[in-house]
Amino acid sequence: MNVFIQKLNGLWYLIVGSCQIRTPFLETQDRELVVAYAWRAYPGARIFERD
């Protein structure tokens, strides 16, 4: 499974397939927090960053 993380409207989002899931992290927070959150939500997924 591929999970993309993206900054949008001041928040970090996880994009899984065609679903866009808002995370509780602000855009100013570290990307590492978002990656750790994505790993907990989707263990074994490949994480990519989208610009």
Side-chain angles (χ1 to χ4, degrees):
M1 173 185 309
N2 294 334
V3 176
F4 295 91
I5 58 174
Q6 180 178 16
K7 293 179 187 178
L8 184 64
N9 297 330
L11 294 172
W12 284 99
Y13 283 81
L14 300 180
I15 300 169
V16 182
S18 62
C19 297
Q20 190 174 38
I21 303 161
R22 186 176 66 186
T23 66
F25 302 107
L26 297 174
E27 184 178 307
T28 57
Q29 291 177 299
D30 290 335
R31 184 179 65 86
E32 290 79 23
L33 289 172
V34 182
V35 170
Y37 179 82
W39 274 109
R40 283 191 308 262
Y42 299 99
R46 289 185 281 169
I47 313 278
F48 300 97
E49 184 172 0
R50 234 184 229 182
D51 289 331

